[in-house]
Amino acid sequence: MIPRTIFTEEHNMLRETARHFMQAEVAPHHERWEEQGYVDRDIWLKAGAAGFLCASMPEQYGGAGGDILHSVVLMEEQSRIGASGLGFPLHSEIVAPYLLHYGNEHLKSTYLPKMATGEMISAIAMSEPGTGSDLQGVTTSAVRDGDSYILNGSKTFITNGWHADLVIVVAKTDPAAGSKGISLFVVDTSMPGFTKGKRLKKAGMKAQDTSELFFDNVRVPAANLLGEEGRGFQYLMQDLPWERLQISILAIASVEAALDWTLRYTRERKAFQRPIAEFQTVSHALADIKTELQLGRVFVDRCIELLLEKKLDAATASMAKYWTTEMQFRALDRCVQLHGGYGYMWEYPITRAWADARVQRVYGGSSEIMKELIGRSL
């Protein structure tokens, strides 16, 4: 593989520590978490104690004071063992930055330290039963009433939703204003009128506590408005390139792990008295995967560099998200094929990774939406 040049020795040391943590604290339990439909809450506290939550947040708010690359390392090590039940990336690199960038001092000092320790688990509520990638179509409403907003509506497919103590909610404050009528609110899940629906049963990512959320006249203090009223859509669009790049980072790390598992299996599995890795059709398939993996790795690393330089645009991030997730599913499907019948057995990590990968082409903006966004930039 082409050597990676974006990490320092500090990042490499973090990788060793994170890899040990994932192997010792996560891997032994993940199968049980998949069966119960959610991870144990204490893994959040352990990750917080290790400094693995909100790693790029400032120390004054309980974060580790690292940079984006610290978070990239943690994402890669999580994906490397197929730990799809951990909602750490969304918590640390989507919700926390919204609070840091757009929240007032009270919101930041109240919630970020608890998020960094794992005491509070966070989510972001965008998707609705009738609205997916089209955020302008949300119907959840927030009506000003004195020094509060009254929130009504429902959300679905919410990562960390069942465990969540804190949710950033996308709502309409002015239904007639289109994208300029969308605002973001910080909702504490203890607020009266807020309820969590059932955990959703999914084809993959079975340990992830994805759920529905309901808001019935939830009174949210006006101080819990993130940024300015009516600018929520703008804030979402500003942060989407990084959010989509995170999905690409996870996709590449997943393919890297899948290739390692498949190489190991094909070198051990024999047919006609020799390892199946020695058959040309198998070695060529593995060569295809490794080549596409390397191409994706170089592109994603370059996108990370552009992000650090504040030059990553929406179209480039969309290209990364679209290509890497499509490549991921192709690669994992071929790896399943090379495992033969065992590739369809849930006890094998390749099977679970394959099931987990399918949704990557959907969430964060479907592949079709990504192509639409890329097309607009031509």
Side-chain angles (χ1 to χ4, degrees), residues 68-81:
I68 289 296
L69 291 173
H70 288 84
S71 294
V72 170
V73 167
L74 295 172
M75 290 178 206
E76 289 180 346
E77 291 308 306
Q78 175 180 328
S79 189
R80 192 183 69 85
I81 65 165

Side-chain angles (χ1 to χ4, degrees), residues 41-191:
R41 196 173 177 104
D42 68 354
I43 192 61
W44 285 85
L45 298 173
K46 290 179 180 179
F52 296 156
L53 299 179
C54 302
S56 66
M57 291 297 103
E59 293 181 7
Q60 72 182 97
Y61 297 119
D67 57 23
I68 289 296
L69 291 173
H70 288 84
S71 294
V72 170
V73 167
L74 295 172
M75 290 178 206
E76 289 180 346
E77 291 308 306
Q78 175 180 328
S79 189
R80 192 183 69 85
I81 65 165
S84 59
L86 300 178
F88 296 171
L90 180 138
H91 172 89
S92 299
E93 284 300 334
I94 295 181
V95 178
Y98 276 117
L99 282 169
L100 180 68
H101 298 153
Y102 310 115
N104 56 46
E105 186 58 33
H106 172 72
L107 291 175
K108 289 187 284 191
S109 61
T110 299
Y111 293 116
L112 285 175
K114 292 180 180 179
M115 288 173 61
T117 62
E119 182 182 349
M120 295 192 80
I121 297 173
S122 66
I124 184 165
M126 299 186 194
S127 296
E128 297 182 355
T131 305
S133 297
D134 180 17
L135 292 177
Q136 296 186 54
V138 299
T139 59
T140 297
S141 64
V143 179
R144 186 68 184 254
D145 181 35
D147 60 357
S148 302
Y149 287 85
I150 306 301
L151 196 64
N152 282 284
S154 63
K155 301 289 183 177
T156 193
F157 309 138
I158 307 306
T159 299
N160 294 345
W162 191 71
H163 267 321
D165 305 291
L166 166 74
V167 182
I168 292 178
V169 180
V170 180
K172 281 280 183 69
T173 43
D174 185 353
S179 64
K180 294 182 179 180
I182 292 175
S183 302
L184 305 182
F185 295 90
V186 177
V187 177
D188 191 305
T189 60
S190 65
M191 291 176 176

